């Protein structure tokens, strides 16, 4: 006859077995590809970009569309030697990659579309490329500072053509100025003093003024194109970066509203160290007025961290797309009315740096860090051997070398699709407003 175990012993064994089963069901999260698709970052964010993904080089920073609308040029300005990726937007393929001596942000076409100009970063120059049907050929270079006289304070960022197409303006970041280049002669013919660290230069089509965002001052300044006379500066938010121009008055406004009667258009400005995009009214008189602050945070109580760093307009200009770099998302904002309304978010790759809409309404997003992190098993390892740089060599698996960017081609989403995308963006974020309740103030 078998001896029965006491009831207390049976209960104890049951509880122990249950505890073991529960502990086994909880799978430890690990940085890397996720079983259901996507990638878990070491920050706790998940990335699950939508659309077709195309690999480019390290840190794609800006893009410009060729006049024919077929080819998109993407400037790669990361750790590896800078380059321009030529992208066939029909086939969504990279057709060529052209090296640049140095570059970071500035990339623009000439008005006729036969030349491309690149801000030369630490080389303190502007580089010219001849362009024809998706083919780039190096041409001239315009030095801002002679090589023998260059210092670490000589750095060229953004470049832009004046409305008449006769002159190139370039941001000389650490001297807080724009330099003016005559593209016919290649000579530097003038300068314009700006706020600290000029970031973007914008010449609205058909206008007689231009705008410069100042990264360090958190402001935007307006200048007359004829004579470069300053017309005023407006303070907005920390780290003002990208700008887009929408001419005319918004729909549905009161035609008798005195504050909008002489409204020439709206300038939308992203401030990267906020959760905001600012709408600035530009009056016929030349005055600048802050019309509204558009909050692109995902939740009502979310602290700083969206990092709105680049802007793009939809075809027709009714939607504003905002690249929210640290949220791995693009916000879609309806700006057709007087007040902007955030409609939702589009999941992107890791750290989106630029966004634009193609003529067929597809959205193109540059992802600075691509689709996830990568192990560098053959990279620098001080426990095994000296750092290669100390031996006069280089490591092919240095993390900034292998962390390449991507381009996302996304079909313009319907309202239903955008709602699903928004749910995915929120689910991919480790932040919840409830977390703020446990924070002592």
């Amino acid at each position: 006859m078998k001896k029965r175990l006491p009831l207390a012993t049976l209960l104890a064994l049951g509880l122990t077995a249950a505890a073991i089963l529960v502990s086994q069901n909880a799978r430890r999260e690990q940085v890397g590809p996720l079983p259901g698709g996507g990638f878990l970052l070491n920050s706790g964010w998940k990335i699950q970009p939508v659309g077709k993904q195309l690999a480019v080089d390290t840190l794609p920073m800006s893009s410009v569309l060729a006049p024919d609308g077929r080819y998109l040029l993407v400037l790669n300005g990361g750790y590896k030697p800078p380059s321009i990726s030529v992208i066939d937007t029909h086939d969504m393929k990279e057709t060529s990659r052209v090296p640049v001596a140095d570059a970071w942000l500035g990339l623009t076409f000439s008005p006729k579309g036969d030349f491309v100009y690149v801000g030369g970063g630490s080389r303190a120059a502007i580089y010219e490329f001849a362009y024809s049907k998706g083919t780039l050929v190096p041409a001239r270079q315009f030095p801002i500072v002679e090589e023998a006289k260059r210092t670490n304070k000589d750095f060229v960022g953004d470049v832009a053509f004046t409305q008449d197409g006769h002159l190139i303006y370039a941001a000389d970041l650490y001297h807080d100025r724009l330099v003016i280049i005559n593209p016919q002669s290649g000579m530097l013919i003038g300068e314009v003093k700006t706020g600290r660290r000029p970031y973007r230069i914008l010449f609205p089509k058909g206008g007689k003024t231009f705008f410069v965002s100042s990264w360090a001052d958190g402001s935007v300044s307006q200048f007359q194109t004829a004579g470069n006379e300053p017309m005023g500066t407006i303070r907005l938010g920390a780290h003002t970066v990208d700008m887009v121009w929408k001419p005319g008055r918004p729909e549905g406004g009161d035609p008798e509203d005195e504050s909008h009667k002489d409204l020439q258009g709206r300038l939308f400005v992203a401030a990267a160290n906020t959760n905001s995009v600012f709408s600035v009214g530009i009056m016929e008189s030349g005055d600048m007025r802050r019309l509204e602050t558009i909050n692109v945070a995902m939740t009502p109580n979310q602290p700083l961290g969206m990092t709105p760093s680049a802007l793009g307009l939809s075809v027709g200009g009714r939607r504003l797309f905002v690249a929210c770099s640290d949220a791995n998302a693009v916000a879609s904002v309806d700006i057709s009315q007087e007040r902007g309304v955030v409609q939702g978010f589009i999941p992107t790759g890791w750290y989106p740096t630029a966004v634009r809409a193609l003529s067929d309404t597809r959205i193109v997003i540059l992802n600075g860090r691509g689709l996830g992190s990568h192990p560098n098993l053959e990279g620098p390892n001080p426990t095994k051997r000296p750092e290669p740089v100390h031996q006069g060599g280089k490591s092919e698996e240095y993390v900034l070398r292998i962390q390449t960017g991507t381009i996302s081609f996304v079909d313009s989403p319907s309202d239903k699709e955008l709602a699903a995308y928004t749910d995915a963006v929120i689910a991919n974020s480790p932040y919840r407003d409830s977390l703020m309740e446990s924070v002592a103030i």
Side-chain angles (χ1 to χ4, degrees), residues 63-135:
S63 69
V64 63
L65 193 63
D68 62 11
R70 173 155 188 169
Y71 292 97
L72 180 76
L73 305 187
V74 173
L75 184 60
N76 303 298
Y79 179 82
K80 290 170 68 175
S83 61
I84 303 172
S85 292
V86 181
I87 309 299
D88 185 330
T89 61
H90 290 190
D91 297 334
M92 293 181 283
K93 294 181 179 179
E94 183 181 46
T95 60
S96 65
R97 189 177 296 176
V98 181
V100 185
D102 197 19
W104 173 56
L105 182 73
L107 180 68
T108 190
F109 267 97
S110 63
K112 293 182 180 179
D114 52 352
F115 287 97
V116 172
Y117 295 89
V118 179
S122 63
R123 296 294 182 97
I126 296 173
Y127 294 99
E128 178 187 71
F129 295 81
Y131 174 83
S132 177
K133 298 178 181 179
T135 300

Side-chain angles (χ1 to χ4, degrees), residues 141-218:
Q141 58 178 283
F142 310 145
I144 308 302
V145 180
E146 295 177 17
E147 184 175 356
K149 297 180 179 179
R150 272 199 320 248
T151 71
N152 58 6
K153 289 188 176 181
D154 296 309
F155 192 94
V156 176
D158 198 19
V159 291
F161 269 90
T162 53
Q163 288 99 335
D164 60 14
H166 291 162
L167 299 173
I168 300 172
Y169 282 48
D172 186 358
L173 269 69
Y174 297 111
H175 293 110
D176 303 328
R177 65 172 185 166
L178 306 183
V179 293
I180 307 171
I181 301 290
N182 182 336
Q184 299 300 318
S185 65
M187 300 296 291
L188 191 154
I189 62 172
E191 68 173 58
V192 181
K193 294 302 291 182
T194 67
R196 294 177 299 158
R197 307 297 184 266
Y199 189 90
R200 276 294 190 192
I201 310 165
L202 178 62
F203 285 89
K205 289 183 179 179
K208 297 180 179 180
T209 66
F210 66 94
F211 304 93
V212 181
S213 61
S214 169
W215 188 89
D217 286 343

Side-chain angles (χ1 to χ4, degrees), residues 307-382:
T307 316
S309 57
L311 304 173
L313 286 175
S314 66
V315 176
R318 295 178 63 87
R319 287 188 180 186
L320 177 71
F321 298 117
V322 185
C324 300
S325 298
D326 280 310
N328 307 314
V330 162
S332 176
V333 185
D334 184 343
I335 55 169
S336 61
Q337 307 294 317
E338 284 192 80
R339 296 292 177 185
V341 177
V342 177
Q343 299 170 306
F345 299 89
I346 300 171
T348 70
W350 191 3
Y351 205 86
T353 54
V355 58
R356 69 167 55 246
L358 302 178
S359 59
D360 60 9
T361 73
R362 282 180 299 161
I363 304 163
V364 179
I365 303 165
L366 305 189
N367 303 302
R369 297 173 183 168
L371 303 179
S373 57
H374 308 280
N376 57 339
L377 302 179
E378 300 300 322
N381 188 337

Side-chain angles (χ1 to χ4, degrees), residues 103-104 145-146 198 223 291 407 425:
W104 173 56
V145 180
E146 295 177 17
F223 300 85
L291 300 180
I407 303 173
V425 167

